Amino acid sequence: MADDGPRNMDEAMTLIEKLQKKNHTLSEMCASLQWKLAVAQTKKGAVGSMGFPSITRGRAKNLPNKLSEGMDRVPSSGGTGVYKYDRQDMSNMVRLSFDNTTAEDIKKEVLTDNRFKEGPEGLMAGLKVSQATGISDKEQADRMEKFGENVIPMEPQTSIFSLMWGALQDPTLIFLCFASFVSLFIGVFVEQDPMGWLEGTAILTAVVVVVLVGSVNDYQKESQFRALNAKKDDMTVTVLRDGQKNNISCHKVVVGDIVLLSTGDIVSCDCYTVGRNDLMINEKMLTGETVMKKKGPYELSSSGHVVYSPIIFSGTFVQEGEGKAIVIAVGTSTYAGTMQKKMDEAEEGNHRSILQQKLDDMTEVITQGGAGFAILTVGVLCVRMYLAFQAGLCCKEEWDHHVHWSEVLSYLISGVTIFVVAVPEGLPLAVTIALAFSVKKMLKDQNLVRHLSACETMGGATTICSDKTGTLTTSRMTVVKIWIAGQAHNSAAEVLKAVPKVKTQLAEASVINTLFKTFLKIEKGITAYCGNDTECALLLLADELGDGYNAIRKRRPDDEAGRRCISFSSDRKRMSTVVPAPDGSSIVYTKGAAEIVADLCVEMVNADGTSVPIDAAMRRTVEGAISDFADAGLRTLCLARRAVSAKDGANLSPVELETGLTLVCLVGIEDPLRKEVPQAIKDCQRAGIVVRMVTGDNLQTARAIARKCGIVTPDDPPGAVMDGKTFRDLVQDENGELKQDAIDRIWPQLRVLARSTPLDKHLLVSGIQASMITGVAQTVAVTGDGTNDAPALKKADVGFSMGIQGTDVAKNASDVIIMDDNFVSIVCAVKWGRCVYDNICKFLQFQLTVNITACALACVGAAILTESPLNAIQMLWVNLIMDSFASLALATEDPTDTLLSRKPYPRDQAVLSQVMVRNMILHSSWQLVVLSFLIFGVGDVCQGSGNVCSGTVYVDYYGPLRSGRPGAYDFAGVAGVCPPVFNASDPSTIGADGLPLRAAEFCREAGGGGTNQHYTMVFNVFVLMQVFNEINARKIHNEVNVFEGIMKNTFFIVIVIGTFLVQVLLIEVPGINTAFGCTHLTQDQWIACLLLGLSVLPLNVLFNMVPPSLFPMAGGGLPPDDDEEEEEEAKPRVAGSKSKDQ
């Protein structure tokens, strides 16, 4: 193009129009020419270097305007052109800007990138956009296709059926389904018992309840979360289209649109500022920082600070000003969109919670143990049968296909029964109820739980990585120190008491020199800030002094004659306002950086309201006060005033006006700690949880806040506080990989990470999770409110987002939403987590005690009596209904403050502690001793029927009751009781009536005569011992007083009393007791049953004296392969490395 190129601007424009009209395939050449001309506009006089011949001075003078007009006339591609930049280029450009925020990084990484070197003109040319006219409506579809839509799609809500199917994948539930089908098959088809369907149906019912409760709860919580997101309606955005201002849906904004921004707008896409503007952007929702960011071409101060930056990020808020910006990224290409992608990737690696993994492991062990006992029992029964045949015992003289195959089948059924009894089928229901109950209660403590498992995981948290702003602090800048008349005060009330005569001067100095767009408003009884946070703090100070800022502004309106405003300048670091005085003169009010404005003061306000000179001693006092404020991490301002003539007030330059000032006061401003935070931090430390503050503030401010809330102490080592860049350099290698050995040397003593980026937080969380220097993996909780916190929230074991200031992306990434943004609510979550864990362990201790006793009874009954002392429907009541009731009773205990008095449960600690194993073994042993005595030591052996023996007593046991044991057991070895085997040729086998002495059904006789008081007492004592042992199960940490707090749990009281009353009905109500194989008991028998049942309470005190160290722990920790997977996942590569962004 050097030889045939245009010789002047008109020829260049004509050539562009001809090329586009002639052939769309040449549009790339048009883009190149447009870009060339745009660069020429910025270089103005350097046109010749682009291949243009020299032009006249007059033409050169008009070149910028001519070029601008020509650019406005450039026809758009109509949606068929090829753009210089693609979707990934723009996304990388945004990330490059976001990831490099220091002046050093910007010089090295950003300003060397071609996309930033070309400036907004080159960017607009590459995207084929005119600043004056924007794009055409016709281009919208094509740009959407090439750059994407301005929508970050949310994952569709999981259907209730998918949640139910997911719940059914629980290993315990799978096994229970299998056990129920086996039970149904045997009961209905093998035994052909009319009630044989009950056991299997009951187990299936338990499975259905667990699945429904869990999935419905998850579905409701997700619906609540989506309802929160639904409050954000579709926003309207003002754009330039075809040279006209149009208000369109934010979802229709495309890359290349010129958006018009003004105060109060929420930015819906990533933009690059163009033209002149005075935009001040609040990026708190993205980065967590409260400092407003000025937008414009990159400008770095001589002191190394970033004065202006050009990129405006999606989700941020226009705090002040107005201006134009070109859209460079939309939807998933925005920085917020990339965070969502990272979050989705992290979602893929999610595993079952720590407790769920432990319970799965324990259930597998119990299942294997139950299977072993079942096989052993069947084996013993078969051996007994073989020995009986060898000895020729009664009914074992010879094999009878009609009798003995059925007996073998009954052995197999007994084995299956033992197998079913051994499995803790109530456990999933207890876990689900505990979690669902706690979720509803936690909402009252300002915790909206999105994932049920997060409840109990939080109980084992060893580290909390917390944000500062809004979580530890109030997120509201406040004047906390006032130095006036030579004295420092902590509040406006102290000022009013100490120096009341200066309050009007202080109030006016605080209010008059502020922007009118800054104001306070009351929302739901709370004072909300609008505008500059620092100025809002000064307005609030005036209100506290009694001279309301609104009253002062009414006296000094914005349009007051003679009023003059001198805006804040980063070079001057101060701002001033001139207002007329009543005597016709003017008053200059100045505020700014304390050390600079104080140096301009020659006088100061005294306690009586007069002015006194500042001598050398007072100057040192002022400097000392400024230094003290800075050491406390306060943002320090100096408020000053000066009287000048009206003429000077109108005509003098800012430098001339801002000299010879009178110092009114120094104010120390900070985002103060929430009052309750220091105690909450102490509670965490007492509970063995290390709180680490991760903030974007500078080191000095971060250290001061951390000291105030107790995160760091003067005794902490130097490594307790570190800045993000130093941390990053130490723990990352040249490839962006995490160096675990390096982070292992840092994290144990690290308490504050200042000037941190989202990457730093993610690295810290990953490194702590992967560390094994303590011998066990750590459980990490993370708080976050910005979009950039999403990856860390997902990576953490429990992610907490902020309900008030949190972005939608952060909330979507979190497990729990803190509705009041208060750290204390996180401490409440810790208590609830530990409470849930304890409640599940309480139920586990209770149910396994029941199962051990029931399983042992079934084994003993099958091996010795050839049948269980408890029939199927009694087992149903004991093994299922009581467990379900117990899950409600024990899983609904509320948390207490004592839960924070012990250390977190280690990830590898077994579910069953030594105390729990001791209680289970000793209580089940005592129950077995009592029940064995009732089964084998009570019940006289005699023939006939009834509850007492009326004929010959063959064996006399304790008490008058007739035995309920099977006749085959009771009469074995009793001479004359077993009739001979029928033999037609042997008259001795035939009775006087001509019938065989041994009837055909004699050997089929299973029991000892139907319902009886003997086995009814066995059943009753067994149930009552479980009811009263339920009270013992409330305590799992060796507490002696098991009744402590019992009246606070209404569920428990109702269920225990209800279970007892139902037990009375089962035994005493005719018809019902028959169905349960029971009969009426006498008053004395009831007293005996109650005393035996109550015996577990005093014995529990004795059992507590047995050292738990004599017993093992059980129910294993995390499977080793899961730990290995977590370590592998904890080696993140730095997403979006700089080499890729450029």
Side-chain angles (χ1 to χ4, degrees):
M1 292 292 295
D3 297 332
D4 301 328
R7 291 169 297 179
N8 54 49
M9 296 301 301
D10 289 334
E11 289 185 12
M13 297 309 306
T14 302
L15 178 59
I16 291 173
E17 292 174 359
K18 285 182 178 179
L19 285 171
Q20 286 196 323
K21 289 178 180 178
K22 184 176 181 181
N23 195 332
H24 286 304
T25 59
L26 296 177
S27 58
E28 181 133 5
M29 180 184 290
C30 299
S32 176
L33 285 171
Q34 289 175 332
W35 172 74
K36 216 170 188 182
L37 293 173
V39 176
Q41 183 180 18
T42 62
K43 296 187 177 180
K44 296 184 179 178
V47 179
S49 64
M50 296 183 59
F52 291 103
S54 60
I55 51 180
T56 65
R57 185 178 182 87
R59 296 287 296 279
K61 183 178 180 181
N62 294 327
L63 176 60
N65 294 332
K66 187 79 174 177
L67 179 58
S68 178
E69 294 169 4
M71 287 293 290
D72 292 346
R73 295 203 313 264
V74 174
S76 70
S77 63
T80 60
V82 178
Y83 303 100
K84 182 177 180 181
Y85 305 114
D86 61 19
R87 182 175 185 171
Q88 192 60 45
D89 288 332
M90 296 292 92
S91 182
N92 288 344
M93 182 179 182
V94 170
R95 294 178 62 193
L96 186 64
S97 175
F98 189 90
D99 292 340
N100 296 278
T101 56
T102 65
E104 181 183 352
D105 288 342
I106 289 171
K107 287 179 183 178
K108 181 180 177 181
E109 305 292 345
V110 180
L111 297 182
T112 57
D113 185 276
N114 286 332
R115 291 164 295 193
F116 287 96
K117 283 164 81 175
E118 294 168 2
E121 293 79 12
L123 192 61
M124 287 189 290
L127 294 174
K128 299 185 179 180
V129 184
S130 163
Q131 179 179 337
T133 62
I135 66 169
S136 169
D137 277 330
K138 297 177 182 178
E139 298 178 55
Q140 179 176 298
D142 180 65
R143 289 178 183 265
M144 275 189 178
E145 181 182 347
K146 293 181 178 177
F147 295 101
E149 296 184 47
N150 194 27
V151 175
I152 299 178
M154 195 174 185
E155 288 287 330
Q157 183 169 0
T158 306
S159 69
I160 185 70
F161 299 106
S162 297
L163 289 172
M164 290 167 64
W165 177 251
L168 273 173
Q169 305 312 303
D170 186 292
T172 305
L173 294 182
I174 292 173
F175 171 74
L176 286 177
C177 289
F178 169 76
S180 68
F181 291 132
V182 170
S183 180
L184 280 171
F185 177 79
I186 291 175
V188 175
F189 298 105
V190 177
E191 293 183 331
Q192 296 184 351
D193 186 343
M195 304 296 287
W197 55 272
L198 271 176
E199 178 78 14
T201 303
I203 296 175
L204 269 182
T205 302
V207 172
V208 170
V209 169
V210 168
V211 170
L212 283 178
V213 170
S215 55
V216 169
N217 204 302
D218 281 343
Y219 188 80
Q220 287 178 340
K221 295 307 164 191
E222 183 64 17
S223 297
Q224 284 181 355
F225 169 68
R226 288 175 182 269
L228 286 176
N229 283 345
K231 293 180 180 178
K232 186 186 70 173
D233 296 325
D234 185 14
M235 294 181 295
T236 299
V237 180
T238 303
V239 299
L240 281 178
R241 293 273 179 97
D242 298 314
Q244 302 293 322
K245 292 183 181 180
N246 289 331
N247 291 326
I248 64 173
S249 165
C250 65
H251 300 313
K252 294 183 179 179
V253 173
V254 295
V255 169
D257 262 321
I258 301 293
V259 295
L260 307 180
L261 300 172
S262 59
T263 302
D265 286 346
I266 296 176
V267 184
S268 61
C269 45
D270 290 344
C271 313
Y272 191 110
T273 54
V274 296
R276 297 191 52 154
N277 72 81
D278 59 347
L279 291 168
M280 296 279 285
I281 304 297
N282 184 335
E283 295 183 352
K284 183 164 60 175
M285 60 287 298
L286 186 66
T287 65
E289 297 183 24
T290 57
V291 179
M292 301 300 106
K293 301 297 178 67
K294 294 182 178 180
K295 294 301 174 179
Y298 271 116
E299 180 182 325
L300 310 178
S301 69
S302 57
S303 59
H305 292 94
V306 181
V307 182
Y308 290 95
S309 60
I311 303 294
I312 304 175
F313 300 100
S314 174
T316 57
F317 177 75
V318 181
Q319 192 79 47
E320 297 176 16
E322 57 184 30
K324 291 182 182 180
I326 180 174
V327 177
I328 58 175
V330 295
T332 54
S333 299
T334 62
Y335 189 80
T338 58
M339 291 300 101
Q340 183 71 48
K341 285 181 183 177
K342 284 186 180 181
M343 184 184 69
D344 293 340
E345 290 169 3
E347 180 74 29
E348 296 174 1
N350 276 1
H351 301 289
R352 292 172 66 79
S353 72
I354 298 168
L355 178 60
Q356 286 171 328
Q357 293 178 60
K358 290 181 179 181
L359 292 178
D360 288 346
D361 183 52
M362 188 193 67
T363 301
E364 183 178 350
V365 172
I366 293 175
T367 301
Q368 293 171 351
F373 270 108
I375 293 171
L376 179 63
T377 302
V378 173
V380 169
L381 287 170
C382 291
V383 169
R384 275 195 64 209
M385 174 181 260
Y386 172 77
L387 295 177
F389 273 109
Q390 293 298 313
L393 298 180
C394 185
C395 291
K396 296 294 188 295
E397 296 87 353
E398 59 183 26
W399 182 270
D400 185 345
H401 292 292
H402 300 289
V403 174
H404 296 118
W405 278 121
S406 177
E407 194 170 340
V408 170
L409 181 59
S410 71
Y411 295 165
L412 295 175
I413 292 172
S414 296
V416 172
T417 301
I418 293 169
F419 185 46
V420 171
V421 167
V423 178
E425 72 274 7
L427 180 58
L429 182 61
V431 173
T432 302
I433 288 175
L435 293 175
F437 177 81
S438 64
V439 162
K440 293 185 182 301
K441 286 290 189 76
M442 286 176 73
L443 194 55
K444 296 179 181 178
D445 287 336
Q446 304 300 315
N447 287 271
L448 174 60
V449 180
R450 297 188 58 236
H451 302 133
L452 285 178
S453 60
C455 296
E456 47 87 5
T457 303
M458 194 59 202
T462 56
T463 287
I464 299 176
C465 296
S466 175
D467 280 349
K468 176 187 75 73
T469 306
T471 308
L472 300 175
T473 63
T474 61
S475 190
R476 194 172 76 168
M477 300 302 288
T478 306
V479 176
V480 295
K481 283 282 186 179
I482 306 163
W483 188 94
I484 189 168
Q487 296 292 325
H489 306 280
N490 296 318
S491 66
E494 287 188 19
V495 172
L496 290 173
K497 185 176 180 180
V499 283
K501 293 183 179 180
V502 301
K503 75 161 190 170
T504 300
Q505 293 186 58
L506 175 54
E508 289 183 342
S510 300
V511 176
I512 293 175
N513 192 25
T514 58
L515 299 174
F516 271 70
K517 64 177 71 175
T518 298
F519 59 94
L520 307 177
K521 65 178 180 180
I522 306 298
E523 293 181 345
K524 298 179 180 178
I526 299 174
T527 302
Y529 286 3
C530 299
N532 185 282
D533 283 356
T534 301
E535 292 192 342
C536 284
L538 294 175
L539 299 183
L540 188 61
L541 173 63
D543 278 355
E544 292 172 348
L545 288 169
D547 290 29
Y549 85 93
N550 275 322
I552 296 173
R553 282 187 169 175
K554 286 179 181 178
R555 296 199 304 267
R556 297 289 190 179
D558 190 28
D559 56 356
E560 182 180 18
R563 186 182 183 98
R564 177 186 174 192
C565 295
I566 302 171
S567 300
F568 177 84
S569 165
S570 57
D571 294 327
R572 292 165 42 249
K573 293 189 176 179
R574 57 188 180 272
M575 68 176 290
S576 297
T577 300
V578 181
V579 295
D583 60 3
S585 62
S586 293
I587 303 174
V588 181
Y589 288 97
T590 300
K591 76 168 184 287
E595 65 279 6
I596 293 175
V597 176
D599 197 46
L600 299 174
C601 295
V602 295
E603 293 182 336
M604 61 175 282
V605 172
N606 207 4
D608 59 4
T610 62
S611 298
V612 296
I614 298 178
D615 56 21
M618 183 54 69
R619 179 76 61 187
R620 287 192 295 273
T621 302
V622 172
E623 291 172 353
I626 294 173
S627 179
D628 291 343
F629 282 19
D631 290 342
L634 305 181
R635 184 182 300 174
T636 309
L637 299 180
C638 178
L639 307 185
R641 56 177 285 169
R642 176 193 176 190
V644 297
S645 67
K647 181 179 179 181
D648 287 347
N651 299 318
L652 291 181
S653 67
V655 175
E656 294 171 321
L657 279 174
E658 296 167 343
T659 56
L661 301 173
T662 298
L663 190 153
V664 177
C665 71
L666 301 174
V667 292
I669 301 175
E670 72 172 357
D671 181 6
L673 276 180
R674 294 179 183 268
K675 294 179 181 178
E676 61 272 21
V677 163
Q679 183 58 48
I681 298 292
K682 287 182 181 178
D683 289 340
C684 286
Q685 293 167 344
R686 178 165 56 94
I689 302 170
V690 178
V691 180
R692 294 178 167 87
M693 186 172 78
V694 184
T695 177
D697 283 337
N698 60 54
L699 270 173
Q700 190 177 26
T701 301
R703 189 193 303 272
I705 292 293
R707 280 180 177 171
K708 288 179 181 177
C709 61
I711 292 177
V712 297
T713 65
D715 299 329
D716 284 330
V721 181
M722 185 179 290
D723 68 272
K725 190 176 189 306
T726 303
F727 174 77
R728 211 160 43 244
D729 293 342
L730 289 173
V731 304
Q732 275 187 291
D733 61 21
E734 60 276 5
N735 298 319
E737 298 287 346
L738 179 68
K739 295 189 293 186
Q740 190 60 47
D741 58 336
I743 201 167
D744 282 345
R745 291 192 295 270
I746 294 172
W747 76 260
Q749 61 186 17
L750 182 67
R751 295 296 180 271
V752 177
L753 191 60
R755 284 295 183 200
S756 63
T757 67
L759 173 63
D760 299 332
K761 183 183 282 189
H762 193 270
L763 285 172
L764 178 61
V765 173
S766 301
I768 295 176
Q769 285 180 317
S771 178
M772 293 298 293
I773 59 172
T774 61
V776 60
Q778 302 291 302
T779 302
V780 184
V782 170
T783 72
D785 55 6
T787 298
N788 57 348
D789 291 322
L793 288 170
K794 269 296 180 186
K795 180 64 180 173
D797 296 293
V798 182
F800 289 89
S801 65
M802 302 298 112
I804 298 173
Q805 300 193 48
T807 63
D808 290 340
V809 175
K811 291 176 184 176
N812 197 34
S814 64
D815 301 296
V816 182
I817 299 174
I818 303 299
M819 305 302 290
D820 60 354
D821 291 11
N822 196 333
F823 186 83
V824 174
S825 298
I826 299 174
V827 179
C828 288
V830 172
K831 285 201 296 187
W832 272 109
R834 295 187 176 188
C835 180
V836 167
Y837 192 100
D838 277 8
N839 287 349
I840 292 171
C841 288
K842 291 172 186 177
F843 171 77
L844 204 53
Q845 174 180 280
F846 170 75
Q847 192 192 38
L848 291 182
T849 302
V850 176
N851 284 14
I852 290 171
T853 307
C855 196
L857 277 179
C859 286
V860 170
I864 299 177
L865 304 176
T866 68
E867 70 169 22
S868 173
L870 304 179
N871 63 36
I873 196 166
Q874 289 172 350
M875 279 292 213
L876 171 64
W877 166 244
V878 171
N879 197 45
L880 178 67
I881 301 176
M882 276 189 61
D883 288 350
S884 301
F885 286 166
S887 64
L888 277 172
L890 294 171
T892 53
E893 295 265 357
D894 285 341
T896 62
D897 290 336
T898 57
L899 291 168
L900 297 178
S901 299
R902 61 174 188 265
K903 304 302 179 186
Y905 291 106
R907 293 173 74 104
D908 63 344
Q909 178 177 304
V911 180
L912 302 178
S913 66
Q914 290 175 303
V915 173
M916 293 170 64
V917 172
R918 180 202 64 189
N919 293 344
M920 288 160 47
I921 291 176
L922 294 183
H923 276 289
S924 59
S925 298
W926 169 246
Q927 291 176 18
L928 285 172
V929 167
V930 171
L931 293 171
S932 296
F933 172 76
L934 285 176
I935 294 170
F936 298 104
V938 174
D940 298 339
V941 178
C942 60
Q943 289 185 323
S945 61
N947 289 312
V948 294
C949 289
S950 56
T952 304
V953 177
Y954 297 103
V955 182
D956 189 6
Y957 287 109
Y958 181 82
L961 287 178
R962 177 180 176 275
S963 170
R965 297 178 293 270
Y969 170 82
D970 277 346
F971 295 115
V974 178
V977 174
C978 182
V981 179
F982 173 69
N983 185 345
S985 60
D986 185 356
S988 63
T989 63
I990 302 173
D993 55 1
L995 297 175
L997 291 175
R998 179 180 293 188
E1001 65 275 4
F1002 177 81
C1003 290
R1004 297 173 188 253
E1005 188 69 36
T1011 60
N1012 56 83
Q1013 289 180 338
H1014 179 203
Y1015 266 24
T1016 299
M1017 284 191 68
V1018 172
F1019 171 56
N1020 199 27
V1021 169
F1022 178 70
V1023 170
L1024 292 178
M1025 291 182 102
Q1026 310 316 321
V1027 170
F1028 295 116
N1029 191 45
E1030 200 169 337
I1031 299 174
N1032 291 329
R1034 295 183 62 249
K1035 304 297 178 182
I1036 58 174
H1037 297 290
N1038 218 33
E1039 300 96 329
V1040 175
N1041 184 7
V1042 295
F1043 293 96
E1044 182 183 0
I1046 193 171
M1047 300 308 295
K1048 295 179 181 179
N1049 189 349
T1050 308
F1051 267 117
F1052 188 89
I1053 300 297
V1054 170
I1055 287 171
V1056 168
I1057 294 175
T1059 304
F1060 178 76
L1061 293 177
V1062 171
Q1063 180 66 15
V1064 173
L1065 293 177
L1066 296 184
I1067 292 174
E1068 297 299 329
V1069 176
I1072 296 179
N1073 56 10
T1074 304
F1076 274 79
C1078 300
T1079 189
H1080 161 75
L1081 294 180
T1082 66
Q1083 181 177 342
D1084 291 341
Q1085 290 168 344
W1086 265 109
I1087 292 174
C1089 290
L1090 282 170
L1091 290 175
L1092 289 173
L1094 283 167
S1095 66
V1096 299
L1097 292 174
L1099 279 175
N1100 187 69
V1101 178
L1102 295 178
F1103 293 161
N1104 279 353
M1105 298 179 183
V1106 179
S1109 57
L1110 299 176
F1111 299 85
M1113 301 176 77
L1118 289 182
D1121 55 337
D1122 286 345
D1123 290 337
E1124 292 172 5
E1125 288 175 11
E1126 289 182 6
E1127 289 178 19
E1128 190 64 30
E1129 289 174 2
K1131 298 178 180 178
R1133 180 174 179 84
V1134 181
S1137 60
K1138 293 171 184 175
S1139 60
K1140 291 181 181 181
D1141 288 343
Q1142 294 183 17

